Amino acid sequence: MHRCPRVLLEKLKKWWVKGLQPNIKEINGAGDLVESLLNSGDKLVVVEFFSPGCKALHPKACQIVEMNPEVQFLQVNYEEHKSMCYSLNVHVLPITDDTVCWR
């Protein structure tokens, strides 16, 4: 039995990219972050630093995004952009139950 290519493609997508809302953007570097902040106008902007290995907070973050369409959400992949995160003093990513996801 052959699967539809679209179904296979969905499974290959990164979990944090599936179902992105129009008010959320994945940041691709420091320049992209600065440009996104400058272009946000008067909108409230929330920057989410995440690690692909930690999915604990993702469902709650998605819920917050959907409930606040007037807010611009920017996602920064901590593992891909560690030096930028460090320069912004983001050294630890918390998860639920007061545990730490990444140091």
Side-chain angles (χ1 to χ4, degrees):
M1 178 181 210
H2 290 86
R3 291 187 177 183
C4 174
R6 192 175 108 212
V7 172
L8 289 175
L9 195 59
E10 276 296 310
K11 287 189 173 197
L12 293 175
K13 279 186 181 178
K14 300 171 186 172
W15 62 261
W16 61 91
V17 176
K18 290 182 182 179
L20 283 183
Q21 300 296 317
N23 61 328
I24 192 163
K25 177 185 178 191
E26 185 175 354
I27 297 300
N28 296 311
D32 190 25
L33 177 61
V34 170
E35 182 179 334
S36 296
L37 291 170
L38 289 174
N39 291 334
S40 66
D42 292 336
K43 277 188 171 185
L44 173 64
V45 178
V46 174
V47 182
E48 174 194 5
F49 296 89
F50 73 97
S51 175
C54 297
K55 300 179 188 179
L57 294 177
H58 185 68
K60 190 64 170 174
C62 288
Q63 182 182 20
I64 292 169
V65 169
E66 289 176 11
M67 291 171 53
N68 296 284
E70 72 285 355
V71 177
Q72 177 65 52
F73 292 86
L74 306 176
Q75 289 184 323
V76 178
N77 184 327
Y78 180 83
E79 291 180 17
E80 288 182 6
H81 305 290
K82 276 188 186 175
S83 62
M84 179 179 70
C85 292
Y86 282 3
S87 70
L88 295 168
N89 289 319
V90 177
H91 302 284
V92 176
L93 299 179
I95 61 170
T96 57
D97 301 328
D98 297 324
T99 57
V100 174
C101 186
W102 191 266
R103 284 186 185 237

